[in-house]
Amino acid sequence: MKYLITGHGGFVGSYLIDYIIQQESDAEIIGLDIAARKMKADYFTEYIVDLLDADKLNSVLKKVKPDYIMHLASFSSVAYSWEYPLESFQNNTNIFLNLLDGICRYCPECKLLSIGSSEEYGAVSEDDIPLKETMIPRPLSPYAVARVAQENMSRVYSRGFGLNIVCTRSFNHIGCGQLDKFVISSLAKRFAMFNAGQCSEIVTGDTSVIRDFLDVRDVVRAYFLLLKSDGGNSEIYNICSGFGTSIQNIIDLLCKITNTMPSFRVDSKLLRPVENRIVTGSYEKINKLCGWKPEITLEDSITSIVEWWQKRI
């Protein structure tokens, strides 16, 4: 089977590639990214493609004709979308439209996994928790609006052009190698720096918000199972832990793991213009489809992230 992964050089991509090969040793994996990642393996072929360049994208799709496509490529930071709303929205929507159009032209029989976000739910109350896929999205950021547009276009191309598409609303996923612009990776890095005597305090944003964190290894397992399942026709599936924890609880856990108690300071620059107090999802729908549920505990995930940063500080 041929698996094409857009944005394969990002945080999730390497985990996804490893998982696919663990499941199918004879799989052929094609990576598309805007910059070279220089990964060498017999089963892997890399193409350097800006997905905004429809001609280059189409030439790859025409040549490769993949059986499955996982669309990971995007500007994935909500904070970045507030700073650069036009660039963030145009990039994420236009690269997806180019991909859909190319699939229609050159590989209409393939199955596409469209990665969305829990940010699509937007304005929610505690009465809405846990969030389910039937809830109408009310996005609160440029990033989230673009993800809703991607989901809507999946529906259009699935129903109007017959493409086989399955969509996710993926909640906060974490793991070793994640950029430190994301909260848990950032906090783990700061704790490692504090322990190494490289900083005197930990800078945070709003620590009272509650989020649903999931290990990236559980995430890629869910993605693979969705691709192999009967789910399609632009159906949407939450990828989440089903458990909410506050950033303050994460900090307490980091203190326990590292056996330290640093001082903390809230930086107003890390506060979002609009913020949900609590975001926690239900994974009931994907569990019913293919039996998926999270397996890696939050403490195990954070411990591995701290150890990863400690080796690099």
Side-chain angles (χ1 to χ4, degrees), residues 18-273:
D18 288 346
Y19 188 80
I20 292 171
I21 292 302
Q22 289 171 14
Q23 302 304 306
E24 295 182 11
S25 60
D26 59 345
E28 181 179 345
I29 299 177
I30 301 95
L32 269 63
D33 214 301
I34 199 168
R37 304 299 174 177
K38 299 180 180 179
M39 176 181 169
K40 294 183 179 179
D42 293 339
Y43 55 78
F44 181 78
T45 305
E46 181 180 63
Y47 292 90
I48 311 307
V49 177
D50 184 340
L51 298 183
L52 292 174
D53 188 334
D55 290 338
K56 286 187 177 180
L57 172 59
N58 287 341
S59 68
V60 174
L61 294 174
K62 183 178 181 180
K63 178 180 179 180
V64 172
K65 295 190 182 302
D67 300 292
Y68 298 102
I69 297 178
M70 295 90 145
H71 180 55
L72 303 181
S74 73
F75 290 146
S76 57
S77 169
V78 174
Y80 183 87
S81 80
W82 281 114
E83 190 173 0
Y84 303 101
L86 184 64
E87 180 184 2
S88 177
F89 182 85
Q90 288 184 334
N91 179 82
N92 288 1
T93 53
N94 287 345
I95 64 175
F96 189 65
L97 282 170
N98 283 346
L99 181 61
L100 290 174
D101 183 67
I103 293 171
C104 280
R105 293 170 183 264
Y106 301 110
C107 49
E109 300 302 319
C110 79
K111 186 172 184 178
L112 170 64
L113 180 69
S114 171
I115 307 300
S117 170
S118 60
E119 291 287 338
E120 295 176 51
Y121 287 110
V124 300
S125 68
E126 292 192 25
D127 293 337
D128 297 317
I129 302 300
L131 299 171
K132 295 187 176 181
E133 296 86 347
T134 52
M135 180 178 172
I136 298 173
R138 297 192 291 269
L140 292 174
S141 69
Y143 167 79
V145 173
R147 286 303 199 194
V148 172
Q150 178 177 324
E151 199 173 88
N152 286 337
M153 290 309 300
S154 294
R155 188 174 298 111
V156 168
Y157 273 76
S158 177
R159 298 176 182 178
F161 296 97
L163 296 190
N164 189 4
I165 306 173
V166 60
C167 304
T168 77
R169 289 179 185 163
S170 302
F171 286 61
N172 300 66
H173 35 289
I174 61 175
C176 300
Q178 188 172 36
L179 295 176
D180 61 358
K181 65 183 178 181
F182 295 96
V183 60
I184 288 186
S185 185
S186 175
L187 287 170
K189 179 182 179 181
R190 296 293 291 184
F191 268 83
M193 292 174 66
F194 180 84
N195 284 346
Q198 295 184 17
C199 69
S200 58
E201 63 181 1
I202 306 293
V203 179
T204 73
D206 186 347
T207 62
S208 67
V209 296
I210 295 173
R211 293 293 181 266
D212 187 319
F213 295 102
L214 183 66
D215 193 286
V216 65
R217 291 166 289 183
D218 278 328
V219 172
V220 299
R221 182 167 53 86
Y223 289 173
F224 185 82
L225 289 173
L226 279 177
L227 275 178
K228 294 296 187 176
S229 73
D230 293 332
N233 299 316
S234 69
E235 279 292 312
I236 302 162
Y237 296 89
N238 283 342
I239 311 298
C240 59
S241 73
F243 175 76
T245 188
S246 70
I247 304 302
Q248 184 58 56
N249 284 341
I250 297 294
I251 291 172
D252 294 341
L253 190 54
L254 283 163
C255 289
K256 172 188 171 185
I257 291 168
T258 60
N259 195 30
T260 56
M261 185 56 71
S263 58
F264 298 89
R265 175 174 59 85
V266 175
D267 185 348
S268 60
K269 294 180 181 178
L270 298 177
L271 303 178
R272 293 181 183 177

Side-chain angles (χ1 to χ4, degrees), residues 266-284:
V266 175
D267 185 348
S268 60
K269 294 180 181 178
L270 298 177
L271 303 178
R272 293 181 183 177
V274 185
E275 187 76 273
N276 273 324
R277 307 317 305 165
I278 179 170
V279 178
T280 306
S282 166
Y283 60 82
E284 180 181 3

